Structure formats: structure tokens, C-alpha cells
Amino acid sequence: MPLIATQVPAMLASDFRQDLDLSVDELLSLLELATDIKRDPGKHAAALAGKSIALLFEKPSLRTRTTFELAVRQMGGTSIALDGPIDEREPVKDVARNLDRWVNAIVARTYLQGTIEELSEWAAVPVINALSDLYHPCQVLADLLTLQEHFGKLEGLKLAFIGDGNNVAHSLMLNAARLGMHYIHATPTGFMPHPLVRDQAETIAVTSGGSVTITHNPMEAASDAHAIYTDVWASMGQEKELQMRRVRFDPYQVDEGLFALARPDAKFMHCLPARRGEEVTNEVIESSRSVVFDQAENRLHTQKALLLMLLS
Ligand code: CP
Ligand code: NVA
């Protein structure tokens, strides 16, 4: 008996290790499916019946972990959460080959993208990146749905990212580039996005009609933007650099003055958790134009869609 509703499109790739494992068509289908799930949350209530998903978290999480656990439970499956360094007691390849015999998918939040790749190499079941040092693809699925809901489209939107060239920025940049959006990133010298990800995004933008711009000027980025996005100045694992980063990023705080340069209907976005008074002021994150909790809600709907597409 099929466990998954037949209208769910299957993903060609067997893993979601990084953003480009989903093709543009699959990404657009996923957003459509997530919209449908949001409208009718009970629709896939038994879709994961009999399925088990392992959640491996090397780093803390509120949103990702809660929404994956809820997504699995609300679709009739079982999740098993395992915390701590994945390779503490045995090599990653052995962890992968053990889990592979018991579960139907592995969701992993790791320090290194290499750990995601290794899990994927050694486990036949789908591996989902729940954040690594290089990417946060599940976050950006929710961000794209949020933008689509507020603007009715994605193509042509100007998305300004103010801050560190980190995992969230990389995933946003790659997706914005391929969806014909205009991604502009303002950051100090030394904190630019990874050059290989930037090259990849710039190449993709050539054919999509989108663009990728990196600047040191936050005002240039914010001007006429549809959305201003920021993230913490020091990501998990970079805590020791926080004092130095506070000094370097101080001119890059998203405050009301900077936000006023954006379009009148612009939205403020943040993956959360946020540090008020650092990358964003309390006024901006609490303003009526902030959509941070819409983004958080959409994590649930988009991850349900992702699980359905990967496991169908
Ligand atoms: N945005 C996000 O991934 O939040 P968590 O770290 O709480 O999962
Ligand atoms: N860039 C942040 C995102 C947290 C969701 C980090 O990696 O800590």
C-alpha cells in the first residue's frame, strides 16, 4: 500500500546535502506543496506511517529540531534524536551504516559540511542537511516561502543580506541566483561569502536573469531592497571570535536608519536566534515589517514537503 499521496513529486537526488540537490523545478514544486500543506495540515497525516527518521545534532537548535520532530510526528512517523559529536565513539562511516539499517532518513546538523557528505556517501537512505558550516538549505526553503507569501513572487526581488558571509548567506545566495532574484551582500573585508559559492552563484545568475553583488557598503545593499536579511555575527562554533567580530561588524547593524532605505513595503528577515543590539536593533526585529516568526513557522511546512518529496 503506498504510504505517500500520489500527487507528491519525487526528488531526483536522493539526498538534500546542499541547496542545489533540489533542481529549480523541484524547488518550485516543494514551495507549492508546502503552501498546500500549510492550508490543509491534516492532508498527509499518515504519509510517514511506519517510517523512522534519525535526527543527529552536533550543535544546539530550537527551530530546526522542533520542526523536524513535529513534521515527522504530524505525518505519522517516528523520530529518534541523537545529540553530540557524531564521530565521538566511532567513525562517521560506521554511524551512517548502522543508521542505514534502522531508519528511513537521516537529518543532521554538523560542524563540517564534510560530515554531511560522508553520511551521504555511506548511508543509502536520504541525508538532509539541517545546517553545516557551509549551508543551511532547510532554512532557506522557509525563507523563500515567506518571501513568496509576502510579495506574491520571487523573480525580480532585491534581497539584501547585511552581515557575515556564512552558511545562511550561502544558501540564500545560491537560491536567489537561480530564481532570478537580485542578491546583494554587504560585509566587511575578511567576512565575504566563500569564493567558490560566490562563483557558483554568479555563474547560475548569468542564465537566470538574477544577479549577485558583494559590497562593503550596507547602504548600497539596503537601498530599494524588498527584504533585508541578517544573521548573527558569530555563528555556532565561532564564539571565541565574538569580541573581534563585534568591532568589525558594528557598522553593519540593521537599525531603523538602514531599514528606512529599503522599499516602503520591505520586510525584515532573520533565521533566528537573533542577538538584539548586535546585528539588529530591537525596534527593527519587533517592527510590523519583521517577518521572522513567519519564517520560523514556515520551517515546519517546508520540511514536511521536503520529507514527502524525499521519501516518496
Ligand atoms: N534558524 C534555525 O535554524 O534555528 P535553530 O538553530 O534554533 O534550529
Ligand atoms: N549562522 C548561524 C545560523 C543559526 C541558525 C549559525 O550557524 O550559528
Side-chain angles (χ1 to χ4, degrees), residues 59-64 109-110 130-136 139 161 164 166-169 229 231-239 270-273 299:
K59 303 182 202 175
S61 168
L62 171 66
R63 281 147 290 273
T64 309
R109 167 166 289 194
T110 60
L131 181 147
S132 69
D133 56 340
L134 270 187
Y135 307 106
H136 196 359
Q139 175 66 47
F161 189 98
D164 190 25
N166 64 16
N167 42 14
V168 173
Y229 201 122
D231 186 13
V232 289
W233 291 338
S235 285
M236 290 178 277
Q238 298 173 329
E239 290 78 6
H270 195 307
C271 55
L272 302 178
R299 297 294 304 273

Side-chain angles (χ1 to χ4, degrees), residues 192-205:
M192 312 274 272
H194 193 293
L196 293 180
V197 180
R198 178 185 177 174
D199 283 353
Q200 210 175 5
E202 282 174 348
T203 305
I204 292 169

Side-chain angles (χ1 to χ4, degrees), residues 17 34 38 46 79 97 156 161 174 206 214 250:
R17 297 160 304 167
K38 188 170 180 173
S79 61
R97 286 178 291 180
F161 189 98
L174 287 169
V206 171
I214 313 291
D250 185 60

Side-chain angles (χ1 to χ4, degrees), residues 54-300:
L55 306 175
L56 310 186
F57 278 77
E58 291 191 321
K59 303 182 202 175
S61 168
L62 171 66
R63 281 147 290 273
T64 309
R65 183 164 172 167
T66 307
T67 51
F68 265 114
E69 287 208 20
L70 285 174
V72 172
R73 197 174 307 175
Q74 291 175 7
M75 296 194 295
T78 304
S79 61
I80 319 272
L82 301 160
D83 296 321
I86 294 172
D87 62 354
E88 195 170 44
R89 293 180 64 233
E90 52 198 301
V92 173
K93 63 182 181 183
D94 286 2
V95 174
R97 286 178 291 180
N98 275 270
L99 291 173
D100 184 62
R101 300 293 178 106
W102 306 318
V103 302
N104 300 96
I106 299 170
V107 174
R109 167 166 289 194
T110 60
Y111 279 96
L112 301 174
Q113 178 64 21
T115 308
I116 303 281
E117 306 289 343
E118 208 176 341
L119 286 169
S120 147
E121 189 184 336
W122 291 94
V125 295
V127 171
I128 297 175
N129 181 345
L131 181 147
S132 69
D133 56 340
L134 270 187
Y135 307 106
H136 196 359
C138 292
Q139 175 66 47
V140 172
L141 297 177
D143 299 340
L144 294 172
L145 180 61
T146 306
L147 282 166
Q148 190 169 274
E149 286 172 345
H150 286 286
F151 291 102
K153 61 170 189 175
L154 293 169
E155 197 175 352
L157 297 184
K158 177 178 176 180
L159 174 61
F161 189 98
I162 316 278
D164 190 25
N166 64 16
N167 42 14
V168 173
H170 290 155
S171 288
L172 281 170
M173 183 190 299
L174 287 169
N175 282 297
R178 65 194 182 141
L179 292 170
M181 296 167 66
H182 302 290
Y183 177 90
I184 179 160
H185 189 137
T187 188
T189 312
F191 301 93
M192 312 274 272
H194 193 293
L196 293 180
V197 180
R198 178 185 177 174
D199 283 353
Q200 210 175 5
E202 282 174 348
T203 305
I204 292 169
V206 171
T207 48
S208 73
S211 62
V212 174
T213 309
I214 313 291
T215 174
H216 296 313
N217 184 349
M219 291 187 289
E220 179 193 350
S223 293
D224 295 320
H226 290 85
I228 296 191
Y229 201 122
T230 190
D231 186 13
V232 289
W233 291 338
S235 285
M236 290 178 277
Q238 298 173 329
E239 290 78 6
K240 284 194 186 126
E241 297 177 17
L242 185 57
Q243 285 310 329
M244 174 272 287
R245 284 171 175 261
R246 278 187 180 132
V247 175
R248 300 297 309 282
F249 281 100
D250 185 60
Y252 293 83
Q253 183 184 66
V254 180
D255 59 15
E256 286 185 312
L258 190 65
F259 198 40
L261 299 175
R263 287 165 53 103
D265 60 348
K267 304 299 175 199
F268 172 74
M269 302 182 78
H270 195 307
C271 55
L272 302 178
R275 295 181 80 117
R276 289 164 169 80
E278 291 191 9
E279 74 273 8
V280 60
T281 60
N282 189 55
E283 289 72 25
V284 168
I285 197 169
E286 295 294 346
S287 76
S288 58
R289 295 200 281 162
S290 170
V291 295
V292 298
F293 299 111
D294 293 342
Q295 293 171 257
E297 179 189 335
N298 285 337
R299 297 294 304 273
L300 177 65

